[in-house]
Amino acid sequence: MSKLTTGSFSIEDLESVQITINNIVGAAKEAAEAEEIGPMGPTPFPGLASYRDDWNLVLLDRYEPVITPMCDQCCYCTYGPCDLSNNKRGACGIDMAGHNGREFFLRVITGTACHAAHGRHLLDHLIETFGEDVPLDLGQSNVLTPNITITTGLSPKTLGELKPAMEHTEEQLTQLLATVHAGQESSEIDYDSKALFSGSLDHVGMEISDIVQIAALDFPKADPEAPLVEIGMGTIDKEKPFLCVIGHNVAGVTYMMDYMEENDLTDKMEIAGLCCTAIDLTRYKEADRRPPYAKVIGSMSKELKIIRSGMPDVIVVDEQCVRGDIVPEAQKLKIPVIASNAKIMYGLPNRDNQDVDATIEELKSGAIPGCVILDNEKLGELTIRLTQEMHPIRKAEGFREIPSDEQLKEWVDKCADCGACYLACPIELDIPEAMKFAKEGDYSYLEDLHDACVGCRRCEQVCKKEIPILSVIEKASQKLIAEEKGWMRAGRGQVSDAEIRAEGLNLVMGTTPGIIAIIGCPNYIGGSKDVYYIAEEFLKRNYIVAVTGCGAMDIGMYKDEDGKTLYEKYPGGFECGGLLNNGSCVSNAHITGAAEKVAGIFASRTMEGNLAEIADYTLSRVGACGLAWGAFSQKASSIGTGCNILGIPAVLGAHSSKYRRALIAKTYDESKWKVYDARNGEEMPIPPAPEFLLTTAETWQEAIPMMAKACIRPSDNSMGRSIKLTHWMELHEKYLGERPKDWWKFIRNEADLPLAKRADLLKVLEADHGWEIDWKKKKIISGPKIKFDVSAQPTNLKRLCKEA
Amino acid sequence: MVDTTKNTKLFTSYGVTTSKAINPDMAAKMISKAKRPLFVVGTGVLQPELLDRAVKIAKKANLPIAATGSSLPGFLDKDVDASYINLHQLGFYLTDPKWPGLDEKGNYDMVIVLGFKKYYINQVLSGTKNFSSVKAISIGRDYIQNATMSFGNISKEDNYAALDELIENL
C-alpha cells in the first residue's frame, strides 16, 4: 500500500465502493529512491546538514562570510531590542555575526519560498488543467531537469513526476524556516551553510516553475530564435484600450490572452506588463513563432511611472515585486485594480462568486476600487471586457493625460530647496539641483533623472511642500518616455544538450572566455543603461551572455548608432558571442542548469544527487560569473546564493551591500589557495581565482574587469588562460586606468601570457618579480608558484581523490 | 569656519551607535595623529572640485590612496601613491589583523573616506565598526553613521569649503 504513488483499486466484496488514491505524501519519493536509476551521488533528497561538511564548509573556508550589519540591534523577540554592536551577544545569547547570518538567511529562504510557492501554484494549476501526463517537452534535451536531478536524483519526464521534487523543496523549506526561531541556530557559519542549501533549493523551485509553463503553455523550447518582442513605455498605443499586468505568475494572464484571441481583439487593444509576468506573456504559445502582440513595459522601476502616466485602463496584479500602493495610486486616475492571486489581495472584496456583468458595473461606477478574482475563467473575461469599457469612460473624463505644463511649473515653483529629497533618495539623485534649474526654465536636468530614478517615491514621502516629485520628473521626461521603444528576445527557455555538447570543450578549456549571466532587478546605481554597457562589452569579446528578468528587459531598451538593439545584433544561442534571454526570473534555473549540464553531459559526471561534485567541477573548470546589478528583492538573494553553492561567483551592485553579507576570499593568504589533485590526492597550489563568490562593485566600469577576472579557473589550459588574461588585463586597463597589479599570479608558464604582450610581460616578470627567463627561447625558467600540468585534476573534494 | 557638525539625520542604516559629528580642524588633527592611515576614495571623487582637494589631502598628509570603484584613473598622473581595490573587499580585509595592506607593510589603524554613495560606504563601514578596531573618518557631504567620526549632511559647496579647511589644518 505505501508503495503506491497514484492509482485506484476496488474492493470486490463491497459493491459500489471504489477508493481512488491521487497521491500519498512521501510515497513517490520512496518509490523513486527504491527504483534502480543508475549511478547516484551521495546526497539525493538532501536535508539541512547534507551539504554542510562535505561542501558548504569547504566553500566558506575560502570564501569567508563578510558581515555588514544594517542595524546595531536585534529586534527579533521580546527579550530585546538588544544592542549587538561590536559583535556583542544579546539576551538570547546570539551575537551580531550570528544575528546577521540569520538576517541574510531569512532573505534567502523568503526568496526560495517565493519561487517554490510560484512553482507549486503553476504545477497544481497546470496538472488540473492539462493532466499529469503532459510530457516535459523542453526542446532537444535528454537532461530535462538538471537542478532537480542533482538535488533529488530524479529525472522526471511529465508534470506529474515533478511532485516528489516539489514536495522535497517544501519539506526542506519548513525545516529551514524553523531554524530562524529564537533560541535555534545561532552560529553565523551554519546560517551561511543553510543559506547555501536554501539557494540550491531555490533553483529547484525556479526550474519547476519554468519547465511546467514551457511544457504546458507552449513557450519557446530551447529556441535560439525565439521572436523579438516590443519593449518600453513608448510602445503603447494610447488610442487603444490598455490592460496592464504586473507580477510574476502568468497563469491568469493566459486566460486573458485566450479571451482576446477568441474574441478577435488582439489588434484592437493593448496588453502589456511589468516584471516577469510581462516576459512570460510574450512567451505564451510562442513555440510556433506566432507574431507577438503582447508587449513588455519594463521592470518594477516603471510600475509607478506607468500608473502615473494614466495610460492603463485596467491593472491586474498577481504575485511578487508588485508595489503595495498600486490601489491608491490607480484610484486617483480611476484605474480599476484586479488582484488575481491569493498572495496579494490588497484588502479588496472577492468577486469570484458574483456574475461578471455585475462586477464590471461595480468597477465601472467606482463603487469599489478593484476586486479579487481568483477564478481564471472569470478573470479572463472580466479583465478584457472591463478594459474595453473603461477606456472611453476614462478618456471622456480626462484621465489619460499626465500633468499639464502649467501644473508642472506650479509644482517646480513650490520647491523650497530644503534638500530633504536628496537625503531620502536611494540613488542619491540631485533633485534639488534639477529643481533649481527647472525654476529657471531648464528642464533638462530633471529629464536626466528619469533613467536613474527607480520610481520608489521616497522623495515624495519627505517633501514638506507635498510636491509629487516623481510626476515632476516624468512630466519633464515626456519626450524621452515616448521614445522608449526597444526590442527584447522572448525567453527561449533552457540551453539544449546539443548546445552544451558543441560549446562544452571551449568553456572547459577556456577558449570561450566565459559565461556572463546578467540577471535581476532594477535597483541600479547609475541607471538602466549600465547593464547595456556591460552586456555589450562582453558580447564584443565573444563571451556568452545569458540574461533573464529585469536585466534582460533593460538591455533591450537601448540601441546603437544604427538603431539596433543587442538582441538584433547578436545570436540567441549558447555559443561564443551569443546573447541568450532565457526568460523570466525563474529561468535563472536554466543558467545554473547550463553549467551543471557542462559537468553532466560534457564531462560525463554523475548528476543524480551529486551537487558537491557538480559544483566542484564548475568552480574548478567552468568560467561563469553572474551579475545582479540592481539586486533588490529577497529572490535575488536566493538566486545568487544558489549560484554560489554551485560554484558560480556573482557581482552585485552597490545597493546589495544592504543584504548584509558577502563571500570574499583572502587573496593574500596562500593557505586558502590549494586544491587536491584527484589523481593522487596531493595538494596543488592554484591562483587566487575566483577571488569571491559574492561581492559588490561600485560602478559598472569596475564590475566589468571584476567579472572578467572571476571567469579565470584553476583548470584553464594555456590558451584559455592566455585568452582570459588578455580580456581581463585589457578591461582593467580600459576602465581602471592601468594594468592590474596581480596579473603575474596567474602565470604558470610562458604560454599563459597574453600573446600580443608576451615579450613585454616577460620583461616585467624578470625585472619586478625576479623570475628567470631564457631570452633565447623566450621561456620562463623559474618563478611561478603554481605549475601547469595538463593532466592534473583539481578538486576541492578529498573524497574524489584516488588515494582518499 | 564651516560648521560640519549640523544635520546628522540618517537615511541609511539604523541602531544605537552613531558616529561623532566633527569639524574639519578636528578631522585634520585625528588624521595627523594616525599611525597607519589610509585614504579611501570612491568614484564620486572624480568630480573636479573633489579630485583636486583629494590630491591635496593625500600629498599634504602623505596618505596612501585606496582608489575604489573606477576612481583610479583620476590619480594616475597626480604624483600620489594610489592603488585600486574593491571597496567591499577592502572593508573585509581591514577587519583582518593579518592583512599585509596595499604596501605589504601591515594593516591600517584609520581610514579617511571620501567620494562614495552614502548607503554603500555606510554599509561597508558597518563591518569595520563591528568587527575591527579600525577608526573611520568620513569627510564627504553626507553624514555616515557607521564611521567613527563624520561631517554632517552638508551642501556640496560647504563640503568643498570644509575640505579646504581640513587641508589647511593638516
Side-chain angles (χ1 to χ4, degrees), chain A residues 320-336:
Chain A
Q320 304 169 48
C321 300
V322 184
R323 288 186 62 89
D325 56 0
I326 288 206
V327 174
E329 286 283 342
Q331 211 173 355
K332 289 177 200 165
L333 293 162
K334 206 172 179 178
I335 307 170

Side-chain angles (χ1 to χ4, degrees), chain A residues 24-42:
Chain A
I24 298 174
V25 174
K29 176 181 164 187
E30 200 180 322
E33 283 172 331
E35 197 182 343
E36 289 295 328
I37 51 173
M40 180 66 73

